[in-house]
Amino acid sequence: MNKVEYSEIFEKSKQSNEGIFIPFIVAGDPDYDTSLEIAKLLVDNGADALEIGFPFSDPVADGASVQNADIRAFDGGMTIKKCFKFLKELREYTDKPIGLLLYYNLVYKFGIDKFYEKLKNIGVNAVLIADLPPEEADDVMIAATNHNLEQIFIVSQATNNERLKEITKKVGGFIYIASVMGTTGARAEVELNTTELIKRIKEHTTIPTCVGFGISKPEHVKKVLSAGADGAIVGSALINIIADNLNNYDEMFSKIEEYVKIMKKSTRG
């Protein structure tokens, strides 16, 4: 199946005056088939793009919700090979952008160029390596360029303007803004510093921005969009729905559908 590029969805959202909604799940959580069904539900109920995590044994950027999702995926038998199969099946179902979030050891161990070639052949749009700073990403950037994949980097409140300029030279797709200092996880409020960071980034680049880490409510989405962000990424709140309904998949699917519809609706002016 052909794939839609990030540039296309951001342009379309700009014309329709709405923001981008990107949900995140871990491939294989709570098991392969259920996880794939969840990913399809996300697409069918309003997700503009998907962010898929490969389960990892030591996800240093992630909080308890994602760590537990990783454990469930491993317990369900997920491997790198099955993760690639998951992406392939997902791409056959949708042409919407698919971004991959994972940790550098998985890429390095597989072989950087070989890994990116595999993703290109599957039809993945972008890669975000959570523990790889742009200053150390030369080999990855070469592979991304060679295989026509966008390389996404995270910017936080600790990122100064000089470093921000360097990141904008390398980043593709969009800039991932971490709304909190620390690990992922649903938060009660979006920090005020986040809105200031969005405005600061916008002063340096026209590259689209999406805010993640802690976004869990419609009001969070509205707040970051009104501050100038182009989209919102939601992971832990969605994963918590999975975790809370492991004994009732019908209820799980129903709540995911409802949540995604509500969150997408909040991106519209």
Side-chain angles (χ1 to χ4, degrees):
M1 178 183 283
N2 293 330
K3 63 181 179 182
V4 174
E5 301 294 344
Y6 282 107
S7 58
E8 296 177 66
I9 65 168
F10 284 113
E11 181 59 34
K12 185 179 177 181
S13 70
K14 189 176 180 181
Q15 292 174 359
S16 60
N17 194 32
E18 64 182 64
I20 294 296
F21 173 60
I22 305 177
F24 165 86
I25 59 169
V26 174
D29 172 34
D31 59 68
Y32 186 99
D33 290 338
T34 306
S35 182
L36 188 59
E37 186 66 27
I38 290 169
K40 292 176 180 179
L41 284 176
L42 301 178
V43 168
D44 293 342
N45 289 279
D48 297 293
L50 296 176
E51 187 179 60
I52 304 297
F54 277 14
F56 188 58
S57 58
D58 189 25
V60 292
D62 292 303
S65 295
V66 179
Q67 289 182 26
N68 288 331
D70 289 342
I71 292 169
R72 289 193 296 270
F74 282 132
D75 287 346
M78 283 304 282
T79 61
I80 283 284
K81 186 177 181 179
K82 286 185 179 180
C83 285
F84 286 132
K85 181 173 180 284
F86 180 94
L87 292 175
K88 185 174 184 292
E89 288 195 65
L90 185 55
R91 174 50 77 213
E92 289 169 354
Y93 185 80
T94 182
D95 64 355
K96 292 184 178 182
I98 298 173
L100 179 61
L101 192 156
L102 76 171
Y103 289 84
Y104 183 61
N105 188 55
L106 294 174
V107 181
Y108 182 79
K109 187 175 180 181
F110 192 88
I112 297 170
D113 190 75
K114 183 181 171 186
F115 190 91
Y116 276 72
E117 182 180 21
K118 187 87 171 174
L119 296 182
K120 175 194 175 183
N121 292 336
I122 290 170
V124 171
N125 294 71
V127 183
L128 194 168
I129 301 176
D131 57 345
L132 183 67
E135 294 86 354
E136 298 175 18
D138 288 352
D139 290 344
V140 160
M141 291 303 304
I142 291 169
T145 301
N146 288 344
H147 299 295
N148 197 30
L149 280 129
E150 310 265 27
Q151 191 68 37
I152 297 171
F153 292 102
I154 297 176
V155 169
S156 74
Q157 295 153 21
T159 306
N160 61 37
N161 289 340
E162 184 178 339
R163 189 163 187 265
L164 181 58
K165 289 178 183 177
E166 292 303 311
I167 290 173
T168 59
K169 294 176 184 176
K170 296 182 177 181
V171 72
F174 62 88
I175 294 173
Y176 190 126
I177 299 175
S179 73
V180 294
M181 298 292 285
T183 58
T184 60
R187 305 300 207 279
E189 300 294 338
V190 174
E191 292 185 12
L192 178 62
N193 289 350
T194 302
T195 59
E196 296 169 356
L197 175 59
I198 294 167
K199 292 170 183 174
R200 180 159 63 91
I201 292 170
K202 290 294 182 181
E203 291 173 358
H204 287 86
T205 183
T206 58
I207 297 170
T209 56
C210 290
V211 181
F213 282 51
I215 305 296
S216 62
K217 302 175 182 178
E219 52 264 39
H220 295 167
V221 175
K222 290 179 181 293
K223 186 172 183 178
V224 298
L225 293 179
S226 65
D230 299 282
I233 300 168
V234 176
S236 293
L238 183 58
I239 288 170
N240 288 342
I241 296 174
I242 297 172
D244 292 342
N245 294 277
L246 294 171
N247 295 323
N248 189 336
Y249 282 9
D250 288 340
E251 185 77 4
M252 180 194 294
F253 295 156
S254 176
K255 288 184 175 180
I256 287 172
E257 284 186 31
E258 181 183 9
Y259 181 73
V260 172
K261 287 176 181 176
I262 291 170
M263 294 299 277
K264 177 53 192 174
K265 186 178 179 181
S266 70
T267 69
R268 302 186 177 108

